[in-house]
Amino acid sequence: MSFSSSNRPQAAGARAAKPSGTGRRLPGNRERRPALAALAVILILLGAAGSTLIALRSGDRQYFVAVKENLPPGHKVEDKDLTRGDLAGATGTLVLWSDRAALKDQYTTGWIYAGQFVSKKNFTNDPVPEGGALVGISVESGRAPAEAVEVGDVVRLVRIPAANQDGGQAAVIAPAARVTSTTGSLTDGKTGANTTVNVTVLIPDSRATTVAAAAAAKTLVLVKLADSVKPEISNDPGAR
């Protein structure tokens, strides 16, 4: 019986056939070192360029005026209201910190919020805009909200009939007035007794006589409105 050569067992000691093709040799440590050195140089150069750019930009930064706390419309500016912050790039008409003295005793034209940078349009020399009038009123307990009325609030002034007046009706004589100052409280903090609160409001000049007369007659009721309600007249040119 004969066997084909393909079925013959491999002779002892014979070497196995090598697979076709040659394997790729991994680079040694010596070959990797130049590449790592080049990468390190590139990273150093990029870091130096970044540091230079930061230094150049920081040289363009300036200090500008910002406010520490929220300031309501009509607020008279004091040194304690102001702080400084630094900015770079286009800063428009913002007030430089070195020019802050020019803002003292100015009046805010609208709300300015804590941390906000300011420009000259945020302030005015005159707390009374053209066509407006400031009127002081004194309100007793029961004729104003128990919640404190604060500067910047918008209130409605209602005239009610006097105690000895029969058949009279309540009437709105100032639908939306801005509170520019307030002193006192409706309740004494120590005794709990009812007191009065003095409020100054900004209203159109055409309403000043009526409001002043009602205030003198003590026939006014003050109604606090939502923050979203715009006053009839304001120092803020954009709100008129």
Side-chain angles (χ1 to χ4, degrees):
M1 181 180 295
S2 63
F3 297 92
S4 63
S5 60
S6 60
N7 293 328
R8 293 177 183 175
Q10 189 173 5
R15 295 183 179 180
K18 293 183 179 180
S20 60
T22 57
R24 297 182 62 183
R25 185 172 60 86
L26 295 175
N29 290 337
R30 291 184 178 181
E31 295 177 1
R32 287 199 297 264
R33 286 176 184 173
L36 292 175
L39 179 60
V41 171
I42 292 173
L43 292 176
I44 292 172
L45 292 175
L46 289 175
S51 300
T52 302
L53 181 60
I54 292 173
L56 290 174
R57 288 188 174 180
S58 63
D60 294 335
R61 301 183 77 86
Q62 291 180 296
Y63 287 109
F64 294 90
V65 177
V67 298
K68 293 180 180 178
E69 305 291 342
N70 294 345
L71 301 182
H75 175 81
K76 188 175 182 179
V77 178
E78 303 178 40
D79 288 337
K80 65 180 182 179
D81 298 322
L82 307 178
T83 186
R84 72 176 187 177
D86 61 320
L87 290 172
T91 52
T93 58
L94 297 182
V95 180
L96 288 167
W97 179 248
S98 57
D99 297 332
R100 65 189 181 280
L103 301 180
K104 188 177 180 181
D105 296 332
Q106 297 270 307
Y107 295 87
T108 55
T109 59
W111 278 100
I112 306 176
Y113 299 98
Q116 178 181 335
F117 290 96
V118 298
S119 64
K120 291 183 179 180
K121 69 179 182 180
N122 294 123
F123 306 94
T124 180
N125 290 320
D126 190 353
V128 184
E130 183 178 355
L134 290 175
V135 179
I137 59 177
S138 181
V139 185
E140 299 175 348
S141 178
R143 297 196 176 187
E147 179 184 354
V149 176
E150 300 177 346
V151 173
D153 287 344
V154 178
V155 298
R156 177 170 295 153
L157 302 180
V158 181
R159 181 178 58 196
I160 60 174
N164 59 355
Q165 183 180 357
D166 295 329
Q169 293 183 345
V172 175
I173 57 176
R178 173 82 78 185
V179 176
T180 62
S181 69
T182 177
T183 58
S185 62
L186 294 176
T187 305
D188 188 290
K190 295 182 179 179
T191 65
N194 293 335
T195 56
T196 59
V197 58
N198 299 310
V199 178
T200 301
V201 293
L202 176 62
I203 57 176
D205 181 60
S206 59
R207 301 185 185 277
T209 301
T210 303
V211 172
K218 297 187 181 300
T219 58
L220 274 182
V221 172
L222 186 150
V223 181
K224 186 175 180 179
L225 303 178
D227 293 339
S228 58
V229 177
K230 291 185 177 181
E232 283 191 284
I233 191 166
S234 172
N235 268 323
D236 184 359
R240 296 178 198 171

